[in-house]
Amino acid sequence: MEPTIFDVARAAGVAASTVSRAFNKPGRVNEATRQRIVAVAAQLGYQHRPQNRALAGTRHRTIAMVLSDITNPHFFELIRGAEQRAKASDVTLVIVNAEESRRIEENQIRDLAAGVDGFVLASSRLGDEVLRDLAKVHRIVLFNRELPGLTSVTFDTVAGCQQILLHLASLGHQGITYCAGPPSSWMGAARWAALSSGAQAHGLTAHRIGPYAPNVANGGAAADGALRTGVTAVVAHNDLLAIGIIRRLAQRGVRVPADISVIGFDDIFAADFVHPSLTTLAGPGSHAGRLAVELLIERLAARSLREGEVIRLPTELVLRESSGPAERRPQAECPPSHTTSQQTRRA
């Protein structure tokens, strides 16, 4: 991967904004510091492109990041990385909350369109055709969503789910239940597709229940539903739902992980503080935020004409206390097929 302004900053021991000024406004940087930055950049093979001058023709030097739910801690690192990258190019970043609503998301984009130069849409709930129509008139980069023809940054879902399946199979589990999130979640559908298609290769059965709103409050209903499937391992749509599941299981006297293992997605800060601590699939959120904004800035500067560029970042299964060996007991019958067939068609 081509070195970025952040790689130069790290190697030179300065802030990314200082690297930006060294190239774009050299008079504002100590000469010795500027020379060190230029030398480090040359050593790393960093190719400076005059973003500030290229962006001068844009109307506002402002971009918007639209989040499906700003209260989800999963987005905290994403926002931090996005703000760092925007600041490095003297671009203002506006954060917008879509409140898990397609209508609100579309309205927010329409209302902001006249005041911003482009959008990063994080976990967008909009339909494919709506996104394609928006991309015809706006510069757009997607996060946690892939759509042919549009530029996007995602995590490697298939490889990540393989890590989960291998982990659970190695612990002796025979089946998993996936507690699904919002029906309009592209990432949720991608996770289920990867889990269901990969389960058999690891000797596991896979069931899906839901959908559930992806928050702690709905973990109770998800836990009750998961217990009915009789499996010894539950994979939740995200960490918030997983934390709610753990709480409900404790209320019902079900031991985690002795009786049932629980795994989430996102590795939010609370995953390490819930009891038992949560095993979860993590991705480099801050890096994803920086990368999404960088791709958008490149497109605004007309330096990247490649439409549909897809970048998938690696994931890591963070092992904590909520997953453990399966209890050796007969597996209950799967619920009647009509309870899961509707969700299967959605995936």
Side-chain angles (χ1 to χ4, degrees):
M1 182 179 295
E2 182 179 336
T4 69
I5 192 173
F6 293 96
D7 298 320
V8 176
R10 189 179 303 109
V14 298
S17 57
T18 303
V19 176
S20 176
R21 286 194 297 271
F23 284 107
N24 298 305
K25 300 176 182 179
R28 295 178 57 187
V29 179
N30 175 275
E31 181 59 20
T33 301
R34 188 193 69 80
Q35 290 183 10
R36 184 171 81 254
I37 290 171
V38 171
V40 169
Q43 183 179 8
L44 294 177
Y46 171 73
Q47 298 295 318
H48 169 62
R49 301 178 179 91
Q51 292 171 337
N52 287 338
R53 291 193 294 274
L55 285 173
T58 59
R59 293 175 298 170
H60 309 287
R61 300 189 62 80
T62 300
I63 60 177
M65 173 174 277
V66 183
L67 308 172
S68 59
D69 180 7
I70 201 170
T71 65
N72 188 340
H74 168 53
F75 293 124
F76 292 174
E77 285 298 301
L78 181 79
I79 294 171
R80 185 168 72 89
E83 287 182 329
Q84 289 175 343
R85 187 61 187 89
K87 183 178 180 182
S89 291
D90 295 329
V91 172
T92 299
L93 179 69
V94 177
I95 305 297
V96 184
N97 183 22
E99 302 178 34
E100 286 288 358
S101 166
R102 288 184 175 183
R103 178 183 58 81
I104 292 175
E105 182 176 355
E106 194 166 4
N107 289 343
Q108 293 277 29
I109 293 171
R110 185 187 64 243
D111 293 343
L112 284 168
V116 302
D117 299 309
F119 295 90
V120 174
L121 304 183
S123 299
S124 176
R125 305 308 190 209
L126 297 177
D128 290 353
E129 290 308 312
V130 175
L131 285 173
R132 288 193 179 98
D133 288 343
L134 287 171
K136 292 176 183 177
V137 293
H138 305 298
R139 295 293 193 183
I140 288 176
V141 172
L142 303 177
F143 168 71
N144 254 7
R145 176 79 177 266
E146 293 181 18
L147 183 61
L150 273 66
T151 299
S152 62
V153 178
T154 63
F155 297 133
D156 192 339
T157 303
V158 174
C161 288
Q162 285 296 320
Q163 293 179 57
I164 292 174
L165 294 170
L166 181 60
H167 172 61
L168 292 174
S170 73
L171 293 172
H173 294 276
Q174 299 176 16
I176 66 167
T177 289
Y178 177 64
C179 299
S184 56
S185 169
W186 178 91
M187 182 56 74
R191 287 168 178 167
W192 168 241
L195 290 169
S196 59
S197 63
Q200 186 175 2
H202 295 283
L204 298 167
T205 60
H207 316 300
R208 180 168 69 167
I209 59 174
Y212 302 99
N215 53 48
V216 174
N218 280 273
D224 291 344
L227 287 175
R228 288 193 63 247
T229 67
V231 298
T232 56
V234 172
V235 180
H237 171 79
N238 68 0
D239 287 349
L240 292 175
L241 192 64
I243 291 171
I245 289 171
I246 289 175
R247 288 182 176 179
R248 175 60 175 166
L249 292 174
Q251 292 172 355
R252 294 190 57 171
V254 179
R255 300 168 300 166
V256 176
D259 298 324
I260 191 167
S261 290
V262 179
I263 294 179
F265 285 89
D266 299 338
D267 194 26
I268 63 174
F269 64 87
D272 206 21
F273 301 121
V274 66
H275 181 73
S277 57
L278 180 64
T279 293
T280 179
L281 191 72
S286 182
H287 179 57
R290 290 194 297 267
L291 191 55
V293 169
E294 184 164 327
L295 288 170
L296 182 57
I297 289 174
E298 287 181 349
R299 297 193 66 214
L300 292 172
R303 290 196 292 103
S304 175
L305 301 179
R306 291 178 297 172
E307 296 290 346
E309 183 176 3
V310 177
I311 298 178
R312 298 186 183 97
L313 300 175
T315 54
E316 174 190 7
L317 185 62
V318 181
L319 301 180
R320 297 193 179 98
E321 299 168 342
S322 68
S323 59
E327 185 180 69
R328 296 297 180 181
R329 56 186 172 86
Q331 188 169 324
E333 292 293 326
C334 177
S337 60
H338 69 269
T339 63
T340 59
S341 59
Q342 183 177 8
Q343 284 90 19
T344 301
R345 287 196 296 271
R346 285 175 178 156

